Amino acid sequence: MSKRYEERRKYRIGDFEYLLDDDDRTAWIYEGNSGGAKVYTMPDKVEIDGVIYTITSVEIGAYQTPLDINLEEVIFPDCYEYFDEYTFCNSPIKKVYLGKGFQYYMYWTLKSAADDVIVEIDPDNPYLKMSDDGHMVLTKDGKELIYLIHDLDEVVVPEGVESIVGCAISCKDKLRRITLPSSLKKIAGDGIIQIRLLERLVVPEGVTDIGLQAFCGDWSLKLLDLPSTVREVQYEFIMEDMCLEKIILRSPDVVRVDIYGDYWNERIPLETCHLVVPRQLIPSYRSHPYWGWFKHIDILND
């Protein structure tokens, strides 16, 4: 089994430093450079003391030298599984090609890339694929939205997506409208966060799982409409959303909340935001240890 970061040994050859696993003969690039190239194919192997190691990963910020400032296109061979956040943070990346072995794509992997960066994934990759519009990384089966790459005015998450993973839709400055699919079941913790201009979000029927801080820091959000299938939320799911004017809870039962930590009630607009719930549940919401903090609890008229 491949060793973890702390179990690998470091080895330097010239401008490159590697983290080596001597058991399975794999290497991660800890520090490297593109040699000033505009189009750069990542190395797939390194020979050390007569032993050939297959390179499978690039660590955080590995390519940050003056030689990388002109790098525009990066090609990852099939042996690569992953590259970390800020790997090319000084490079104006415009195009990335991911080979068949690439398994993981995460938040801020291409944080410094051009706004219109093109990401291509080998069609035979069994783990990942691009959405048809070229804006989103999805799992191969199309059931998980892993990351929205581009900052757009409007995003339509494809039908078939069942889960929005953590930080999948995050830190977008232009995004004003998000349409979620009827297939959706889960929005993970930090799933839709720090979307500066988003004012309205309707979560479709069928969603049952809303994670911790799922909508944290959506500063312009005024309306959040949760379906009848949402029966429980984490208490910080709307933390720092201080423009909220209305939260609609359509569940036929009082929505349960995990309550822990201090000062949570100082990061929600309890004085001005209206909680809208089914008529028969008004007394229960008013006496609830979490929802009862809202000054305005109104009747849902559907």
Side-chain angles (χ1 to χ4, degrees):
M1 180 179 291
S2 181
K3 288 190 173 100
R4 299 177 309 221
Y5 177 95
E6 63 272 13
E7 297 174 320
R8 290 172 175 255
R9 68 180 178 101
K10 286 186 179 180
Y11 193 96
R12 176 171 286 276
I13 304 177
D15 293 337
F16 280 73
E17 187 168 8
Y18 302 93
L19 294 172
L20 305 178
D21 184 340
D22 293 310
D23 293 328
D24 67 4
R25 296 185 179 181
T26 61
W28 299 348
I29 299 176
Y30 185 76
E31 182 181 333
N33 70 75
S34 59
K38 286 190 175 182
V39 178
Y40 178 64
T41 299
M42 301 293 296
D44 59 352
K45 292 179 174 61
V46 59
E47 184 174 345
I48 298 173
D49 297 331
V51 177
I52 295 176
Y53 294 80
T54 300
I55 300 173
T56 62
S57 178
V58 190
E59 293 304 289
I60 185 168
Y63 283 70
Q64 296 190 33
T65 75
L67 290 172
D68 301 315
I69 61 174
N70 296 319
L71 184 59
E72 296 182 357
E73 182 175 345
V74 182
I75 300 165
F76 284 89
D78 292 342
C79 56
Y80 278 80
E81 299 175 357
Y82 171 78
F83 71 99
D84 211 334
E85 299 177 341
Y86 297 110
T87 299
F88 306 104
C89 71
N90 295 328
S91 307
I93 301 294
K94 297 179 180 178
K95 186 175 182 179
V96 176
Y97 176 85
L98 306 178
K100 297 177 185 177
F102 214 85
Q103 299 182 37
Y104 309 104
Y105 192 104
M106 66 181 295
Y107 175 59
W108 282 359
T109 291
L110 288 174
K111 177 62 177 174
S112 63
D115 288 342
D116 58 350
V117 62
I118 297 171
V119 178
E120 293 183 358
I121 301 175
D122 190 293
D124 292 327
N125 183 303
Y127 310 105
L128 305 175
K129 69 176 182 179
M130 293 299 298
S131 58
D132 291 342
D133 60 13
H135 297 310
M136 291 166 259
V137 179
L138 308 172
T139 52
K140 189 68 172 186
D141 59 10
K143 292 184 178 182
E144 291 188 354
L145 169 59
I146 296 175
Y147 194 60
L148 171 65
I149 297 171
H150 301 127
D151 195 356
L152 310 167
D153 291 333
E154 180 176 355
V155 167
V156 178
V157 178
E159 283 294 334
V161 169
E162 297 180 0
S163 176
I164 295 175
V165 307
C167 297
I169 304 177
S170 58
C171 298
K172 303 303 180 189
D173 295 331
K174 300 176 184 177
L175 185 55
R176 293 178 178 273
R177 183 175 178 181
I178 300 172
T179 301
L180 300 175
S182 62
S183 54
L184 192 64
K185 295 181 174 63
K186 176 181 180 180
I187 300 175
D190 299 321
I192 303 176
I193 63 167
Q194 297 182 30
I195 310 300
R196 296 177 183 273
L197 300 180
L198 181 68
E199 295 186 2
R200 174 186 175 92
L201 185 65
V202 177
V203 178
E205 288 291 328
V207 172
T208 58
D209 193 339
I210 303 290
L212 182 68
Q213 299 181 9
F215 311 112
C216 176
D218 293 333
W219 295 294
S220 298
L221 190 65
K222 296 179 181 179
L223 169 68
L224 178 62
D225 189 337
L226 298 183
S228 65
T229 48
V230 170
R231 306 295 177 90
E232 183 174 5
V233 294
Q234 299 285 344
Y235 81 103
E236 287 188 336
F237 77 112
I238 51 170
M239 187 178 71
E240 309 293 356
D241 298 335
M242 298 306 292
C243 287
L244 269 170
E245 297 176 357
K246 183 183 293 187
I247 302 172
I248 301 175
L249 302 177
R250 299 181 181 275
S251 170
D253 302 309
V254 174
V255 174
R256 298 185 299 275
V257 186
D258 275 337
I259 303 175
Y260 57 92
D262 298 323
Y263 309 115
W264 62 267
N265 54 323
E266 296 180 3
R267 294 174 285 181
I268 301 172
L270 298 169
E271 298 290 332
T272 56
C273 181
H274 288 245
L275 195 65
V276 183
V277 302
R279 178 187 298 271
Q280 70 275 15
L281 299 179
I282 292 283
S284 297
Y285 274 103
R286 285 179 175 161
S287 62
H288 193 275
Y290 177 87
W291 302 116
W293 283 80
F294 284 82
K295 298 301 182 183
H296 307 279
I297 301 181
D298 302 333
I299 298 170
L300 175 62
N301 294 312
D302 272 356

